[in-house]
Amino acid sequence: MSLTSEEKDNLLKIIEIIYGYDSQFESYKNDFNESTVLVVEKAITALIQCNDNMKTLVSGILGGSGFIAKGWLKKVIRALSKELKKNKIKFNGLACRSVAAGNWRSAIIISTY
């Protein structure tokens, strides 16, 4: 199953929250797919484990669920994109963001092939 244009746009917005604007990610947007969603989901899950603000936000969107099952991002991609943009979530520390960014950047790009 491929992503809609809107899902690709929202996924790019979510990626930009983690990495900031990056023309390389934007150039891959049309190639975003289910694999990209899964990799970004793993990156966000890593951030959630490191960051209380992200945990609170995602748990709230998922209806207070403390357990995040595989495939959650595809279900809430629009809502998460809007909330991240609206709330301008700030990660607790540079360490969380740097680790997640460093560990998942290449995987996100490779997922588009």
Side-chain angles (χ1 to χ4, degrees), residues 18-19 43-44 46-47 94-105 108:
I18 299 171
Y19 294 95
I44 293 171
L47 274 171
L94 186 56
C96 288
R97 187 173 176 177
S98 295
V99 168
N103 288 342
W104 297 102
R105 179 181 180 75
I108 292 169

Side-chain angles (χ1 to χ4, degrees), residues 53-102:
N53 287 339
M54 283 295 290
K55 188 180 295 181
T56 300
L57 173 66
V58 173
S59 293
I61 290 172
L62 293 174
S65 172
F67 177 72
I68 298 175
K70 186 176 178 181
W72 65 267
L73 180 57
K74 177 85 172 174
K75 295 175 186 168
V76 300
I77 196 167
R78 174 188 263 178
L80 182 58
S81 174
K82 285 181 181 179
E83 285 299 312
L84 287 172
K85 185 175 180 182
K86 179 177 80 177
N87 291 327
K88 301 289 186 205
I89 295 298
K90 301 293 184 214
F91 299 112
N92 284 341
L94 186 56
C96 288
R97 187 173 176 177
S98 295
V99 168

Side-chain angles (χ1 to χ4, degrees), residues 4-18:
T4 66
S5 180
E6 181 182 11
E7 287 172 329
K8 290 176 183 181
D9 289 341
N10 287 327
L11 186 57
L12 179 61
K13 290 175 189 174
I14 292 167
I15 291 169
E16 287 178 348
I17 294 297
I18 299 171

Side-chain angles (χ1 to χ4, degrees), residues 15-42:
I15 291 169
E16 287 178 348
I17 294 297
I18 299 171
Y19 294 95
Y21 173 77
D22 186 321
S23 61
Q24 187 174 23
F25 284 126
E26 188 170 19
S27 70
Y28 286 109
K29 181 178 82 169
N30 289 331
D31 298 318
F32 287 172
N33 56 57
E34 294 284 336
S35 294
T36 310
V37 172
L38 292 175
V39 173
V40 172
E41 180 178 300
K42 289 177 183 178

